[in-house]
Amino acid sequence: MAKRSAIEALDDLLRDLMEKDELFGGKVIVLGGDFRQTLPVVPNGSKHDTIAACLTNSYLWQKFHLLQLDENMRALLDPIFTDFLLRLGDGNENLDEDDVTLPKQIVIEESEESEGLHTLIEYVYPNISQHYTTIPSSMNRAILTTKNTFVDQINEILIQKFQGEVKEYVSFDETLDPNDQGHYEDLLHSLTPNGMPPHRLILKKNAPIILLRNMNPIEGLCNGTRLFCKNFNRNVIRAEIAFGDYAGKEVFIHRIPLQPATGEGYTVPFKRTQFPVKLCFAMTINKAQGQTLDIVGIYLKEPIFSHGQLYVALSRARRIESVKVEPSTVEPEPKEPAHGSVLNFIQLWFPKKFGSGQFQPDKHSLNPSKNKPHHPSHANFTLPHLVNYTNVRGVVIKCLPIQHVKKGSETTSKRDVIIVNEEKKLLILTLWNPIDEIEGNALDKITNTGPLVFAMRVKMTTFYGQSITTSPRSAILINPPVKDDLKLQTGTQLTKQKLKYSFGMKHTRTLRFCCHLLKQRHTSNRQGNYKDEKYINWNIKCPLCKEKSEVQIISRAIIEINDGTGTIAASISSPEIEKLIPLNPSEIKDVAKSEKNVHDVIASSVQGLSVVTFVRSYLTWNQQQQINRFVIVKLHKVQEHYTKEQQILIPSTKSENLSTTKPASPKQTQKRPQPDVGKTKVIESSSAGTSRPTKRMK
Ligand SMILES: Nc1ncnc2c1ncn2[C@@H]1O[C@H](COP(=O)(O)OP(=O)(O)OP(=O)(O)O)[C@@H](O)[C@H]1O
C-alpha cells in the first residue's frame, strides 16, 4: 500500500503543475486499495509509525469520495473461499486469542519441519526435476513466505532440483567512497539487502525470475513482473514475460547499478551492478501482493508478523483447493502482560465518511451514525503491546558484574554494561540472561579495548533517566565490521581524560565516578517523593572522589488518561511531559524555590487534553505485592476540543505570571475529573541521559 506521503506528494506536484490550489490540481485521481492487506512498510517502525503512514491518516482522506467494491472477482467461482477470506480479513475468523484456525483441508499435516517444506514444494512444483523445461507457462504458481531469508533458502533448493545448465552472473559491488573499496569488498558480496539481486545470481533456462526495478513500464517491465529465462548472454538475459497483459513478450534485460533503499540500515554505502532480477520459485508475501496465482504454497516457518499478511497470502488464489499452508512450528513469543481493557484496543477513526470502529472499514461503518467514536478526538488511540524497540550503538566503558535477581517467583541474572552512545551520553545497557553470560562475558574480557556494541531491538526505558534493556528479541553485536562504528570507536578513545570532557565533568578521577553518579541517580529516584522542592539538595557528591556536581533535573508526574472505556494513572517524565506543561524542570525548580504554587498551572494545562500516548505497562513490587504500573513513553498532543473560554491559560512570561494564572473555568472543573497532578512533585536528579544540556560542576 502506498504511504500517505506518496499521495500527498502527488497532490502537491499536481497543484504546482496545474497551477491550481485544488485537490490534485483539479485532476480526477482514482485510487484502489484494500485495508485488509499489508500496510505501508516503515523500516524499523513501530505499529504506530505504520498506522501513521496510512492514507487514512492523511489530511487528504476526508476529501476522497469513497466507493466500495464488494465482489471478489478473482475467487468468483468459489463463494465459500470468498466468505472465508472476508472473515479472515475482517478479523472474524475463528480467532483463538491472536491465532487463526485455518480450514483443515489447506493445512499440511503435522510433520517434521523439513518434511513439511518438502511436501509443500511437491504440492506447488510436482516432479520439478522432470518437468518444466519446456512448458513454463503452466508455472503460475509460487511459494509465499514471510521473510527474504526463507525465500532465498527455498529458491536455492528449487534451482538445484530444476533441470538445466547453471548460469552464474557475479555482480560488481563498489563502495560509494572509493577509498573503502579494499576494506569492504568481501563484506559487500555477502550482503543481499531487500529489493536487491544477490551477488551471485544463479539461473537456469526456463527458471522463473522476478524483476526488482521498474525498467520500462510501458513495455510491461515493472518491479514485480515475472518472467522466464530464455537465453543467457554475457551482458544480456533474454527472457519472456510470463503473465499478465504482456505474457509471451520477449524482452532483454541488462545489468544496472542498484543501491539499497534508504532506511535499510547499511552503514557502508555501496552500489551493486547486476541484472535486476532474482529467482521467484518463492517470494515474500509482501512482494506477492497484487499477483494472482494458480497454485499457492504458504510456508510459515515463523508466524506472520504484520497486519494483513495471511490475508494477502491466501487471497492470491482463485479457489480453496489451490492453496496449501505449511504452518509455523515456532512457538509465538511470550506476550506482554495484559494491560487491562483500557489499553486493549486500537481505534482509528475514519473521519466523517466512516466513523470509528475496527481497523478496516466494513459495510456497517459506512453509516456514521451507527459508529460514533467514543471520543471527540480525531485520532485517539492507544496501542496495547507497544514496546519501544530501538537499536543503539555505543562504546563499552564498563561491565559490571552479573547480578542474580528475583523476577516474580523465579531467579534470573542480568548484567549492567555502561556504554557511551553516539551523542556521547552515558547509558546503562542491561543484558538479561542469557545475553549477560554469553555476550556479557565476551564484553567483560575486552572492556579495556573500548569495544563497540551494536544492541539491536533493545527496549528503551525512561525510568531513571535513559536506560536500555535487552528482550528475548534482542541481539548484541560486538565490534561489527562497519564503517561508521569504526569511526565512532576511534572517535571515542575513552581515555579517562577524554571522558572527563565528554560529560562535562571537570574532576573525574576514575571511570567509577560515572558509575557512581548513575547509582546516585537511582538513589535519588527512589527517595524521590519529595514533599517540598525547597528541601531538595540540588548538588550531589561522588562518594568516591567527593566532588560535587549540580544535578540535571527531570520532571516526572502521574497523570490520569481516560480513553472513554476507562482510566489509568501513568507516569510521564521529561522530555515528554514538557509537551504538556508550560514549564521546564528548571522553571519548576525556580518556582518551587520562590514558594509560588505551580500546581494550578500544571493542572489547567493537562486536564481534558486529547493526546495520543504510548503507554507501557511494567510489573513492580510494592509492599511485597506485585503490581502493574504504567509509564508514558511517547506522547503527542492532538487537536484540543475546547471552546474559547475553556482554553488553557498559559502565562506569557512563564515564571513571573504564574500567580496571575486564572484557574480552570467552573464548567471545566465540574465536567472533567481533576488529573492526579497533586503527585507531580517528583523532581528527579540526574546527570546523564536526557536531552537537556548537562549542568556543569561548580
Ligand atoms: N470485472 C472483472 N471480470 C472478470 N475478472 C476480473 C474482473 N476484474 C478483475 N478480474 C480478475 O480478478 C483478478 C484480480 O484482479 P486485480 O489484480 O485487478 O484485483 P486487485 O484488486 O488488484 O487484487 P489484489 O489487490 O488482491 O491483488 C485478476 O485475475 C483479474 O483478471
Side-chain angles (χ1 to χ4, degrees):
M1 185 187 292
K3 286 183 184 166
R4 56 177 276 199
S5 53
I7 313 291
E8 287 168 2
L10 176 68
D11 177 45
D12 286 345
L13 178 72
L14 287 176
R15 280 174 202 251
D16 283 356
L17 289 177
M18 302 308 297
E19 294 179 357
K20 267 192 199 166
D21 197 18
E22 285 176 29
L23 186 65
F24 295 116
K27 293 284 172 195
V28 177
I29 300 286
V30 181
L31 304 171
D34 181 353
F35 289 105
R36 299 176 187 96
Q37 296 192 346
T38 57
L39 301 180
V41 175
V42 181
N44 302 321
S46 63
K47 219 169 190 174
H48 166 255
D49 297 330
T50 308
I51 293 169
C54 288
L55 186 59
T56 45
N57 284 315
S58 168
Y59 56 87
L60 296 173
W61 182 251
Q62 298 176 42
K63 298 176 186 163
F64 287 127
H65 176 64
L66 299 167
L67 300 169
Q68 198 166 21
L69 303 176
D70 46 20
E71 206 164 356
N72 184 340
M73 299 306 290
R74 184 182 286 130
L76 197 62
L77 298 176
D78 191 344
I80 296 174
F81 184 46
T82 306
D83 288 348
F84 163 70
L85 289 175
L86 277 181
R87 287 197 305 276
L88 180 77
D90 291 340
N92 299 330
E93 177 60 18
N94 283 344
L95 277 179
D96 171 15
E97 296 204 349
D98 283 345
D99 299 336
V100 177
T101 312
L102 292 173
K104 266 194 179 157
Q105 70 185 105
I106 67 171
V107 179
I108 291 179
E109 277 175 21
E110 229 171 272
S111 56
E112 288 293 311
E113 191 184 303
S114 56
E115 267 181 43
L117 177 58
H118 182 75
T119 318
L120 194 71
I121 290 176
E122 233 0 81
Y123 170 74
V124 181
Y125 300 104
N127 295 325
I128 191 161
S129 47
Q130 282 135 46
H131 294 162
Y132 305 119
T133 50
T134 51
I135 42 164
S137 55
S138 66
M139 284 186 65
N140 187 12
R141 46 187 74 206
I143 295 175
L144 308 181
T145 183
T146 48
K147 294 183 180 167
N148 273 314
T149 334
F150 308 138
V151 167
D152 295 342
Q153 284 166 8
I154 300 168
N155 279 334
E156 210 176 304
I157 296 173
L158 279 158
I159 195 70
Q160 278 177 17
K161 290 185 175 218
F162 203 74
Q163 271 189 13
E165 201 181 316
V166 170
K167 177 70 190 174
E168 185 179 56
Y169 289 106
V170 178
S171 72
F172 175 51
D173 296 342
E174 49 189 328
T175 53
L176 297 191
D177 181 348
N179 296 330
D180 291 335
Q181 186 70 17
H183 295 121
Y184 297 112
E185 198 164 348
D186 288 345
L187 173 77
L188 300 184
H189 294 339
S190 66
L191 305 174
T192 310
N194 283 341
M196 296 266 283
H199 168 58
R200 289 183 178 281
L201 180 65
I202 294 173
L203 303 174
K204 284 182 183 173
K205 199 174 163 188
N206 286 328
I209 51 174
I210 190 164
L211 205 57
L212 299 170
R213 289 289 184 277
N214 285 329
M215 289 195 81
N216 191 351
I218 298 168
E219 297 292 315
L221 287 179
C222 309
N223 186 349
T225 301
R226 285 184 294 151
L227 311 107
F228 293 112
C229 302
K230 292 311 252 178
N231 205 6
F232 304 113
N233 294 99
R234 194 161 168 230
N235 293 314
V236 81
I237 296 174
R238 188 159 62 87
E240 184 182 306
I241 297 182
F243 312 103
D245 295 345
Y246 296 87
K249 187 175 171 184
E250 284 212 346
V251 292
F252 293 93
I253 300 167
H254 53 87
R255 288 188 182 86
I256 57 167
L258 302 112
Q259 279 190 38
T262 44
E264 280 285 314
Y266 288 91
T267 46
V268 187
F270 76 103
K271 69 175 175 197
R272 168 165 293 168
T273 305
Q274 177 62 292
F275 295 94
V277 297
K278 68 190 259 185
L279 285 169
C280 71
F281 291 105
M283 58 181 128
T284 58
I285 293 171
N286 286 46
K287 193 87 192 166
Q289 193 156 295
Q291 308 264 2
T292 299
L293 300 166
D294 293 336
I295 303 282
V296 184
I298 302 173
Y299 179 55
L300 300 178
K301 181 168 180 178
E302 284 177 6
I304 50 139
F305 57 83
S306 83
H307 169 87
Q309 275 185 330
L310 188 61
Y311 170 77
V312 168
L314 290 165
S315 63
R316 298 310 91 206
R318 296 180 197 274
R319 47 167 56 92
I320 199 158
E321 298 84 50
S322 329
V323 192
K324 279 273 182 268
V325 182
E326 162 60 8
S328 166
T329 49
V330 177
E331 280 293 309
E333 285 193 11
K335 287 179 185 144
E336 292 283 306
H339 295 217
S341 64
V342 66
L343 295 175
N344 225 351
F345 72 100
I346 298 174
Q347 184 190 332
L348 267 187
W349 179 17
F350 294 80
K352 290 190 182 161
K353 294 272 161 65
F354 279 136
S356 79
Q358 294 301 307
F359 184 66
Q360 56 279 78
D362 58 22
K363 282 179 192 164
H364 308 295
S365 60
L366 284 166
N367 180 352
S369 61
K370 275 191 188 170
N371 289 282
K372 286 248 170 69
H374 300 301
H375 265 283
S377 67
H378 70 274
N380 202 346
F381 57 90
T382 48
L383 298 177
H385 301 306
L386 190 120
V387 178
N388 202 8
Y389 284 111
T390 184
N391 296 335
V392 175
R393 285 190 300 186
V395 177
V396 175
I397 59 164
K398 181 94 184 161
C399 277
L400 298 172
I402 289 183
Q403 294 170 40
H404 294 277
V405 286
K406 257 199 144 185
K407 257 192 163 181
S409 56
E410 287 175 13
T411 305
T412 181
S413 63
K414 67 165 190 170
R415 181 200 278 275
D416 284 342
V417 173
I418 297 177
I419 63 168
V420 184
N421 72 358
E422 285 150 295
E423 292 159 16
K424 298 211 168 72
K425 279 182 187 163
L426 274 181
L427 299 172
I428 301 178
L429 168 63
T430 305
L431 308 176
W432 285 93
N433 189 273
I435 299 177
D436 64 329
E437 285 181 9
I438 305 166
E439 283 83 356
N441 284 350
L443 281 174
D444 195 24
K445 280 186 198 147
I446 54 167
T447 314
N448 54 359
T449 62
L452 280 161
V453 281
F454 198 167
M456 301 197 304
R457 299 182 297 280
V458 283
K459 290 189 239 171
M460 186 70 91
T461 78
T462 48
F463 307 123
Y464 312 131
Q466 224 171 26
S467 61
I468 314 153
T469 166
T470 59
S471 74
R473 292 160 183 244
S474 304
I476 304 289
L477 302 185
I478 301 172
N479 286 330
V482 267
K483 187 182 162 193
D484 288 2
D485 288 345
L486 294 173
K487 236 188 217 166
L488 171 68
Q489 194 175 29
T490 38
T492 323
Q493 281 306 338
L494 288 167
T495 58
K496 289 162 196 173
Q497 198 61 23
K498 275 201 172 175
L499 187 71
K500 185 174 83 179
Y501 291 109
S502 301
F503 306 110
M505 297 169 196
K506 282 186 190 152
H507 306 290
T508 309
R509 268 199 221 143
T510 66
L511 289 182
R512 275 188 296 172
F513 178 89
C514 303
C515 310
H516 277 275
L517 216 54
L518 290 164
K519 278 187 188 159
Q520 178 85 15
R521 198 169 43 144
H522 285 219
T523 320
S524 318
N525 187 64
R526 275 195 219 105
Q527 298 164 349
N529 282 318
Y530 299 111
K531 288 281 182 305
D532 192 335
E533 288 86 350
K534 269 191 295 184
Y535 302 115
I536 296 174
N537 181 3
W538 296 106
N539 294 305
I540 53 170
K541 206 175 183 184
C542 173
L544 280 184
C545 67
K546 309 295 177 208
E547 287 294 343
K548 277 186 183 169
S549 172
E550 186 168 341
V551 298
Q552 181 183 359
I553 52 174
I554 296 172
S555 309
R556 186 160 156 253
I558 313 287
I559 61 172
E560 283 186 356
I561 317 166
N562 183 306
D563 72 353
T565 62
T567 301
I568 57 159
S571 65
I572 178 169
S573 309
S574 301
E576 295 304 305
I577 192 170
E578 284 149 46
K579 294 178 187 166
L580 292 181
I581 62 173
L583 301 172
N584 68 30
S586 302
E587 286 163 338
I588 294 177
K589 179 188 148 190
D590 293 343
V591 175
K593 268 185 186 164
S594 70
E595 296 189 2
K596 284 178 188 163
N597 186 353
V598 291
H599 293 273
D600 291 343
V601 182
I602 296 174
S604 65
S605 57
V606 295
Q607 72 180 0
L609 268 187
S610 276
V611 291
V612 177
T613 59
F614 299 98
V615 182
R616 194 161 82 80
S617 85
Y618 64 100
L619 289 172
T620 185
W621 292 86
N622 189 15
Q623 296 181 349
Q624 297 176 342
Q625 278 197 338
Q626 210 172 25
I627 53 167
N628 205 8
R629 285 206 173 129
F630 302 96
V631 63
I632 293 174
V633 288
K634 206 90 192 136
L635 174 142
H636 302 277
K637 253 205 261 189
V638 294
Q639 197 185 331
E640 286 114 15
H641 300 273
Y642 300 109
T643 56
K644 273 216 158 150
E645 71 271 16
Q646 284 176 310
Q647 257 167 8
I648 304 159
L649 293 159
I650 296 174
S652 50
T653 346
K654 289 169 184 167
S655 50
E656 282 164 25
N657 283 2
L658 286 175
S659 54
T660 60
T661 306
K662 286 185 197 165
S665 72
K667 198 174 165 193
Q668 203 176 5
T669 323
Q670 274 169 22
K671 285 206 163 178
R672 299 180 191 281
Q674 188 77 7
D676 197 0
V677 289
K679 300 174 199 164
T680 60
K681 291 174 79 177
V682 179
I683 296 183
E684 175 184 75
S685 59
S686 158
S687 67
T690 68
S691 55
R692 294 184 170 274
T694 309
K695 295 208 173 173
R696 306 210 170 206
M697 277 203 291
K698 285 174 179 168

